[in-house]
Amino acid sequence: MKPCYNRRTMEDISHILNDLNDAQRQAVSAPLSNLLVLAGAGSGKTRVLVHRIAWLIAAEGLSPFNILAVTFTNKAAREMNERIESMLGLSSNAMWVGTFHGLAHRLLRAHYQEAGLSQNFQILDSDDQYRMIRRLMREHDIDENQWPPKQVQWFINQKKDDGLRAGDIKAFDYFEKNMLKMYALYEEACFQQHLVDFAELLLRTFELMRDNLSVLDHYQKRFRYWLVDEFQDTNRLQYAWLKLLCHSGNKIMVVGDDDQSIYSWRGAQVENIRRFEEDFKPVTHIRLEQNYRSTGTILNAANTLIENNNDRMGKTLWTESSEGEPISIYAAFNDLDEARFIVDKIKQWQHSGRLLREAAVLYRSNAQSRILEEAFLQAGVPYRIHGGLRFYERAEIKDALAYLRLLENTNNDSAFERIINVPVRGIGNRSVATIREIARESGLSLWQAALKIMDESLLPSRAVSAISAFIELIQELQVQIADLKLPDKIKQVLHLSTLLDHYRKERGEKARAKVENLEELSSAAAQFIEELREDVDGDPLTQFLAHTALEAGEGQADKFTDCAQLMTMHSAKGLEFPLVFIAGLEEGLFPHQMSLEDQKGCLEERRLCYVGMTRAMEKLILSYAEVRALYGRETYQAPSRFLHEIPRECVEEIRPRAKVTIPQSRGFHKPKPVSKFKDYDAAGFRPGQLVAHAKFGQGIVLAVEGEGDGARVQVNFKKAGSKWLLQSFAKLETIA
DNA sequence: ACCTGAAATATTTTT
DNA sequence: TATTTCAGGT
């Protein structure tokens, strides 16, 4: 490693502290001790983290090699890496910066033997985990209606997040007894197949360190300084990790905000902040309270709202920026009206010369996105919905990955089962059931059981030959791809498995998209190879498979198109937008019905609202509907309590203009999604229409010009951006 | 294997 | 209401 950090001079040091406010400077230049930084929304948290790292290297003389920074999302890790790189000129290889899961994975790869894993262990994502649990339950004749697999999955993950193995838990009642039984079954199966789920990554690493003093000692010596982002989101296991590793002379800086704790429902322990003060004594406290993001009005409103929570550590954000515009509250007649209002405002915003991507619509639950989407579609305003199905979670991608996984480890039962008959090759349920049965009887993997069936002809000859064809295919593939580069491996697998042809033959837009996705998979692999860090060992395929499980694979293609952003308030955390809408501020929706019952849930909802509001930089617009269609019923809900908690002087109420026509009876006037319209105009397309192009993929029609052969269509493609196309030339297909 | 109709079911999400 | 999942028939 090049000691480029040695070249730092005193000038550099003062440079690090420039442009920081007092509190920030205090945090960045604090002496080497344990630090708790309570960083309010928009107070320059990431900045402090990055500058602190620079300071540690320049002023304290620490080697990047000894510093480790942990975040929760890949995005945050990436951002931090970029900023470190641009500030210090350090290659990101020099320092460990990553998510808890990413770090755990790296440690397990390096010490797979001590951790009791095989070299090619694979990672289960939550979908894989769910399928696995369901499969095991069926195998053991456990009633899925009485014990919903989802609940079992939740139980298992919750226990793992608390650091508990099935054997560590004593069952108190019938329910727990059964849950434990399934936990044990699952644990056993994962162990046998060398599969590791997300929680297991952390648990295994914890156990590895706990039980291997030499390994622990090595990393305790290596990681001298820890930085933890979003500390309020840590769970018990992650905290235990920190306590174990960050020991004996090592120092740690945690940055968090108790007011932004919105993940307690999945095990995050805000209490860890208080625990930290105890366990890591002595702790220096620093509060970052100056906000650089929002206007005075927005901040004032958010502050007043959050003051209604009585469980806070206490913190009041302030700003030097001006009051700004008042917060608008729109009382819509119904959800439809609300959606139209929002789209309308965004259009105005755009017409006033601003960018669409500066506007975000936030909501409590994903279900709300549909009606908004329809409104955007109808108005022909480009939008992007965040969340939902990710690239690596798509069924066809998971099929392809299952082939790769099986090729790596033929004993991977979940991969085997996933593709044994995909594409259909005459191995029906009966054959699969027999394979499963034999596997169970003789304690073999499905693959081994299939071999046995072949050898001993345990099924009718037609089934046996179908199975042997499959086995031969896999073996053939193993030989074929052995010497290929990763992207070519994937291409070859897609080709020889006939997976690609299978979808190519299929008609319709869905199949077309699947083909596109599959083709994109090899480019994703190519890109992955390029960015692969050299200091991490392991076969590229193994690395790539882990990558697909750990990274969502957010489409970066449409990052550049100018779109309004739609997302839940949860996924908006960490982001900021000049214009923010929060939709559906109604009792029962936000705060959500499910959270209303207990006090804690309500407090968390309020924090969520706080997070949502503090995303706004210039203008915040809140809205609620008096009537909302919910599960087919028209429900009348009172305006959210949160609206009453915002000071009047910050607010400007907007009432619908009289001339807005409100559909009296829903359904009658309800506008169908544009894609369902039959009355196209001359060119065959109308703005808002979803279309597909052979080369550019899916897109949305923005404008239509001219008629007949000369007609031109402007299409905003998801991946390729906005383009003008000759309608007669480009074979655009409409998407139903 | 594919189609069809009934039944279930509907917070928040990253890794 | 709308979507997804599943069983059963063809």
Side-chain angles (χ1 to χ4, degrees), chain A residues 74 101 126 198 364 366 390 568 595 631:
Chain A
N74 289 306
H101 296 267
S126 19
F198 289 133
R364 176 66 237 262
N366 279 313
R390 285 148 217 285
T568 64
S595 308
Y631 307 145

Short mmCIF file of all heavy atoms in Angstrom, two decimals, chain A residues 74 101 126 198 364 366 390 568 595 631, chain B residues 1-2 8-15:
data_model
loop_
_atom_site.label_atom_id
_atom_site.label_comp_id
_atom_site.label_asym_id
_atom_site.label_seq_id
_atom_site.Cartn_x
_atom_site.Cartn_y
_atom_site.Cartn_z
N ASN A 74 -25.69 0.50 0.89
CA ASN A 74 -24.61 0.54 -0.09
C ASN A 74 -24.44 1.94 -0.64
O ASN A 74 -23.35 2.39 -0.92
CB ASN A 74 -24.91 -0.42 -1.23
CG ASN A 74 -24.77 -1.86 -0.78
OD1 ASN A 74 -23.75 -2.26 -0.25
ND2 ASN A 74 -25.82 -2.63 -0.97
N HIS A 101 -23.15 -5.55 6.54
CA HIS A 101 -23.26 -6.84 5.86
C HIS A 101 -22.09 -7.06 4.91
O HIS A 101 -21.57 -8.16 4.82
CB HIS A 101 -24.59 -6.94 5.13
CG HIS A 101 -25.76 -6.91 6.06
ND1 HIS A 101 -26.35 -8.04 6.55
CD2 HIS A 101 -26.42 -5.87 6.61
CE1 HIS A 101 -27.32 -7.70 7.37
NE2 HIS A 101 -27.39 -6.39 7.42
N SER A 126 -33.73 -12.33 0.95
CA SER A 126 -34.94 -12.65 1.71
C SER A 126 -35.92 -13.51 0.92
O SER A 126 -36.62 -14.33 1.50
CB SER A 126 -35.64 -11.41 2.25
OG SER A 126 -35.24 -10.27 1.59
N PHE A 198 -28.91 -12.95 5.39
CA PHE A 198 -28.38 -11.65 5.78
C PHE A 198 -28.03 -11.58 7.26
O PHE A 198 -26.94 -11.15 7.64
CB PHE A 198 -29.37 -10.54 5.43
CG PHE A 198 -29.48 -10.30 3.96
CD1 PHE A 198 -30.72 -10.19 3.34
CD2 PHE A 198 -28.36 -10.21 3.16
CE1 PHE A 198 -30.82 -9.97 1.98
CE2 PHE A 198 -28.44 -9.99 1.81
CZ PHE A 198 -29.68 -9.87 1.21
N ARG A 364 -46.66 7.24 2.91
CA ARG A 364 -46.42 6.29 3.97
C ARG A 364 -46.28 4.86 3.45
O ARG A 364 -45.42 4.10 3.83
CB ARG A 364 -47.59 6.37 4.98
CG ARG A 364 -47.57 5.37 6.13
CD ARG A 364 -46.40 5.62 7.05
NE ARG A 364 -45.57 4.44 7.19
CZ ARG A 364 -45.62 3.58 8.17
NH1 ARG A 364 -46.45 3.77 9.17
NH2 ARG A 364 -44.85 2.54 8.21
N ASN A 366 -46.52 1.97 0.14
CA ASN A 366 -46.35 1.80 -1.30
C ASN A 366 -47.67 1.77 -2.06
O ASN A 366 -47.71 2.13 -3.23
CB ASN A 366 -45.58 0.51 -1.58
CG ASN A 366 -44.09 0.74 -1.42
OD1 ASN A 366 -43.57 1.72 -1.93
ND2 ASN A 366 -43.44 -0.15 -0.71
N ARG A 390 -36.35 -4.82 -7.44
CA ARG A 390 -35.04 -4.42 -7.87
C ARG A 390 -34.52 -5.37 -8.94
O ARG A 390 -35.03 -6.46 -9.11
CB ARG A 390 -34.08 -4.46 -6.70
CG ARG A 390 -34.28 -3.32 -5.79
CD ARG A 390 -33.96 -3.76 -4.38
NE ARG A 390 -34.88 -3.12 -3.46
CZ ARG A 390 -34.80 -1.84 -3.12
NH1 ARG A 390 -33.86 -1.08 -3.63
NH2 ARG A 390 -35.65 -1.32 -2.27
N THR A 568 -41.45 6.10 -0.62
CA THR A 568 -41.96 6.14 0.74
C THR A 568 -41.05 7.03 1.57
O THR A 568 -39.91 7.28 1.19
CB THR A 568 -41.96 4.74 1.39
OG1 THR A 568 -40.60 4.30 1.49
CG2 THR A 568 -42.77 3.74 0.59
N SER A 595 -49.95 1.18 13.73
CA SER A 595 -49.07 1.75 14.75
C SER A 595 -49.86 2.52 15.80
O SER A 595 -49.32 2.92 16.82
CB SER A 595 -48.08 2.72 14.09
OG SER A 595 -47.43 2.10 13.03
N TYR A 631 -58.92 -0.47 0.09
CA TYR A 631 -59.42 -1.83 0.00
C TYR A 631 -60.84 -1.87 -0.54
O TYR A 631 -61.69 -2.57 -0.03
CB TYR A 631 -59.38 -2.54 1.35
CG TYR A 631 -58.04 -2.49 2.01
CD1 TYR A 631 -57.93 -2.38 3.38
CD2 TYR A 631 -56.88 -2.53 1.25
CE1 TYR A 631 -56.69 -2.34 3.99
CE2 TYR A 631 -55.64 -2.47 1.84
CZ TYR A 631 -55.56 -2.38 3.22
OH TYR A 631 -54.33 -2.33 3.80
P DA B 1 -44.86 -30.26 -17.74
OP1 DA B 1 -44.79 -29.81 -16.39
OP2 DA B 1 -43.77 -30.75 -18.50
"O5'" DA B 1 -45.75 -29.23 -18.56
"C5'" DA B 1 -45.23 -28.61 -19.69
"C4'" DA B 1 -46.34 -27.84 -20.32
"O4'" DA B 1 -47.63 -28.44 -20.05
"C3'" DA B 1 -46.43 -26.41 -19.84
"O3'" DA B 1 -46.79 -25.60 -20.95
"C2'" DA B 1 -47.53 -26.46 -18.79
"C1'" DA B 1 -48.47 -27.49 -19.40
N9 DA B 1 -49.26 -28.22 -18.39
C8 DA B 1 -48.82 -28.74 -17.21
N7 DA B 1 -49.75 -29.34 -16.52
C5 DA B 1 -50.90 -29.19 -17.31
C6 DA B 1 -52.23 -29.61 -17.14
N6 DA B 1 -52.65 -30.28 -16.07
N1 DA B 1 -53.11 -29.31 -18.12
C2 DA B 1 -52.68 -28.64 -19.18
N3 DA B 1 -51.45 -28.20 -19.46
C4 DA B 1 -50.60 -28.51 -18.46
P DC B 2 -46.82 -24.11 -20.83
OP1 DC B 2 -46.26 -23.55 -22.06
OP2 DC B 2 -46.27 -23.74 -19.50
"O5'" DC B 2 -48.38 -23.82 -20.81
"C5'" DC B 2 -49.18 -24.20 -21.91
"C4'" DC B 2 -50.61 -23.91 -21.55
"O4'" DC B 2 -51.01 -24.80 -20.47
"C3'" DC B 2 -50.85 -22.49 -21.02
"O3'" DC B 2 -51.94 -21.94 -21.71
"C2'" DC B 2 -51.17 -22.69 -19.55
"C1'" DC B 2 -51.79 -24.07 -19.56
N1 DC B 2 -51.75 -24.80 -18.26
C2 DC B 2 -52.92 -25.43 -17.79
O2 DC B 2 -53.94 -25.39 -18.47
N3 DC B 2 -52.89 -26.08 -16.60
C4 DC B 2 -51.75 -26.11 -15.90
N4 DC B 2 -51.76 -26.77 -14.74
C5 DC B 2 -50.56 -25.47 -16.36
C6 DC B 2 -50.60 -24.83 -17.53
P DA B 8 -59.95 -18.22 1.71
OP1 DA B 8 -59.92 -19.44 2.54
OP2 DA B 8 -61.06 -17.26 1.85
"O5'" DA B 8 -58.58 -17.46 1.90
"C5'" DA B 8 -57.40 -17.97 1.25
"C4'" DA B 8 -56.43 -16.83 1.02
"O4'" DA B 8 -56.81 -16.05 -0.13
"C3'" DA B 8 -56.34 -15.85 2.19
"O3'" DA B 8 -54.96 -15.65 2.46
"C2'" DA B 8 -57.00 -14.58 1.65
"C1'" DA B 8 -56.67 -14.68 0.18
N9 DA B 8 -57.58 -13.95 -0.71
C8 DA B 8 -58.95 -13.96 -0.71
N7 DA B 8 -59.49 -13.23 -1.66
C5 DA B 8 -58.39 -12.71 -2.33
C6 DA B 8 -58.27 -11.86 -3.44
N6 DA B 8 -59.32 -11.36 -4.10
N1 DA B 8 -57.03 -11.53 -3.86
C2 DA B 8 -55.98 -12.03 -3.19
N3 DA B 8 -55.95 -12.84 -2.14
C4 DA B 8 -57.21 -13.14 -1.76
P DT B 9 -54.47 -15.13 3.78
OP1 DT B 9 -53.22 -15.85 4.05
OP2 DT B 9 -55.58 -15.15 4.76
"O5'" DT B 9 -54.13 -13.64 3.46
"C5'" DT B 9 -53.26 -13.37 2.34
"C4'" DT B 9 -53.31 -11.92 2.02
"O4'" DT B 9 -54.35 -11.65 1.04
"C3'" DT B 9 -53.67 -11.03 3.23
"O3'" DT B 9 -52.80 -9.92 3.25
"C2'" DT B 9 -55.07 -10.55 2.90
"C1'" DT B 9 -54.94 -10.44 1.40
N1 DT B 9 -56.22 -10.26 0.69
C2 DT B 9 -56.21 -9.61 -0.51
O2 DT B 9 -55.21 -9.18 -1.02
N3 DT B 9 -57.44 -9.46 -1.09
C4 DT B 9 -58.66 -9.90 -0.58
O4 DT B 9 -59.70 -9.71 -1.19
C5 DT B 9 -58.59 -10.59 0.68
C7 DT B 9 -59.83 -11.11 1.31
C6 DT B 9 -57.40 -10.73 1.25
P DA B 10 -51.89 -9.60 4.39
OP1 DA B 10 -50.80 -10.57 4.48
OP2 DA B 10 -52.82 -9.37 5.50
"O5'" DA B 10 -51.26 -8.20 3.99
"C5'" DA B 10 -50.80 -8.04 2.65
"C4'" DA B 10 -51.42 -6.80 2.10
"O4'" DA B 10 -52.69 -7.09 1.49
"C3'" DA B 10 -51.77 -5.77 3.16
"O3'" DA B 10 -50.60 -5.00 3.38
"C2'" DA B 10 -52.86 -4.93 2.50
"C1'" DA B 10 -53.39 -5.85 1.41
N9 DA B 10 -54.81 -6.18 1.50
C8 DA B 10 -55.49 -6.79 2.52
N7 DA B 10 -56.75 -6.99 2.28
C5 DA B 10 -56.92 -6.47 1.01
C6 DA B 10 -58.04 -6.37 0.16
N6 DA B 10 -59.25 -6.80 0.49
N1 DA B 10 -57.86 -5.79 -1.06
C2 DA B 10 -56.65 -5.36 -1.39
N3 DA B 10 -55.54 -5.39 -0.69
C4 DA B 10 -55.73 -5.97 0.52
P DT B 11 -50.54 -3.82 3.87
OP1 DT B 11 -51.30 -2.64 4.29
OP2 DT B 11 -49.61 -3.89 2.76
"O5'" DT B 11 -49.78 -4.26 5.13
"C5'" DT B 11 -49.10 -3.46 5.89
"C4'" DT B 11 -48.63 -2.15 5.27
"O4'" DT B 11 -48.60 -1.23 6.30
"C3'" DT B 11 -47.24 -2.21 4.66
"O3'" DT B 11 -47.09 -1.11 3.78
"C2'" DT B 11 -46.39 -2.06 5.90
"C1'" DT B 11 -47.23 -1.06 6.66
N1 DT B 11 -47.11 -1.24 8.12
C2 DT B 11 -47.20 -2.52 8.66
O2 DT B 11 -47.35 -3.52 8.01
N3 DT B 11 -47.06 -2.55 9.99
C4 DT B 11 -46.87 -1.54 10.85
O4 DT B 11 -46.78 -1.70 12.04
C5 DT B 11 -46.78 -0.23 10.22
C7 DT B 11 -46.55 0.97 10.99
C6 DT B 11 -46.91 -0.14 8.92
P DT B 12 -45.89 -1.25 2.78
OP1 DT B 12 -46.22 -0.41 1.64
OP2 DT B 12 -45.47 -2.66 2.58
"O5'" DT B 12 -44.75 -0.56 3.63
"C5'" DT B 12 -44.59 0.86 3.53
"C4'" DT B 12 -43.49 1.27 4.45
"O4'" DT B 12 -43.87 0.95 5.79
"C3'" DT B 12 -42.17 0.52 4.22
"O3'" DT B 12 -41.36 1.33 3.40
"C2'" DT B 12 -41.57 0.40 5.60
"C1'" DT B 12 -42.71 0.73 6.55
N1 DT B 12 -43.04 -0.36 7.49
C2 DT B 12 -43.26 -0.06 8.81
O2 DT B 12 -43.17 1.07 9.24
N3 DT B 12 -43.57 -1.12 9.61
C4 DT B 12 -43.68 -2.43 9.23
O4 DT B 12 -43.97 -3.30 10.06
C5 DT B 12 -43.45 -2.70 7.82
C7 DT B 12 -43.57 -4.09 7.31
C6 DT B 12 -43.15 -1.66 7.04
P DT B 13 -40.89 0.75 2.07
OP1 DT B 13 -40.74 1.86 1.18
OP2 DT B 13 -41.67 -0.45 1.68
"O5'" DT B 13 -39.45 0.21 2.49
"C5'" DT B 13 -38.55 0.98 3.22
"C4'" DT B 13 -37.32 0.11 3.39
"O4'" DT B 13 -37.57 -0.88 4.38
"C3'" DT B 13 -36.97 -0.59 2.11
"O3'" DT B 13 -35.63 -0.27 1.80
"C2'" DT B 13 -37.08 -2.08 2.40
"C1'" DT B 13 -37.17 -2.16 3.92
N1 DT B 13 -38.19 -3.13 4.33
C2 DT B 13 -37.88 -4.01 5.33
O2 DT B 13 -36.82 -4.00 5.89
N3 DT B 13 -38.87 -4.89 5.65
C4 DT B 13 -40.12 -4.97 5.06
O4 DT B 13 -40.93 -5.80 5.43
C5 DT B 13 -40.38 -4.01 4.03
C7 DT B 13 -41.69 -4.01 3.34
C6 DT B 13 -39.42 -3.15 3.72
P DT B 14 -35.05 -0.48 0.44
OP1 DT B 14 -34.85 0.75 -0.29
OP2 DT B 14 -35.55 -1.67 -0.27
"O5'" DT B 14 -33.66 -0.83 1.12
"C5'" DT B 14 -33.25 -0.01 2.20
"C4'" DT B 14 -32.15 -0.75 2.85
"O4'" DT B 14 -32.70 -1.65 3.81
"C3'" DT B 14 -31.38 -1.59 1.85
"O3'" DT B 14 -30.04 -1.14 1.83
"C2'" DT B 14 -31.52 -3.02 2.33
"C1'" DT B 14 -32.04 -2.89 3.74
N1 DT B 14 -33.07 -3.90 4.06
C2 DT B 14 -33.11 -4.42 5.34
O2 DT B 14 -32.30 -4.09 6.20
N3 DT B 14 -34.10 -5.31 5.56
C4 DT B 14 -35.05 -5.74 4.67
O4 DT B 14 -35.89 -6.55 5.00
C5 DT B 14 -34.97 -5.15 3.35
C7 DT B 14 -35.95 -5.53 2.30
C6 DT B 14 -33.99 -4.26 3.13
P DT B 15 -29.09 -1.76 0.79
OP1 DT B 15 -27.98 -0.82 0.64
OP2 DT B 15 -29.86 -2.19 -0.39
"O5'" DT B 15 -28.52 -3.06 1.51
"C5'" DT B 15 -27.94 -2.90 2.80
"C4'" DT B 15 -27.67 -4.27 3.39
"O4'" DT B 15 -28.91 -4.82 3.85
"C3'" DT B 15 -27.08 -5.26 2.40
"O3'" DT B 15 -25.84 -5.71 2.87
"C2'" DT B 15 -28.06 -6.41 2.35
"C1'" DT B 15 -28.90 -6.22 3.59
N1 DT B 15 -30.28 -6.66 3.44
C2 DT B 15 -30.90 -7.24 4.52
O2 DT B 15 -30.34 -7.38 5.59
N3 DT B 15 -32.18 -7.65 4.30
C4 DT B 15 -32.90 -7.54 3.13
O4 DT B 15 -34.03 -7.96 3.06
C5 DT B 15 -32.21 -6.91 2.03
C7 DT B 15 -32.89 -6.72 0.73
C6 DT B 15 -30.95 -6.49 2.25
#
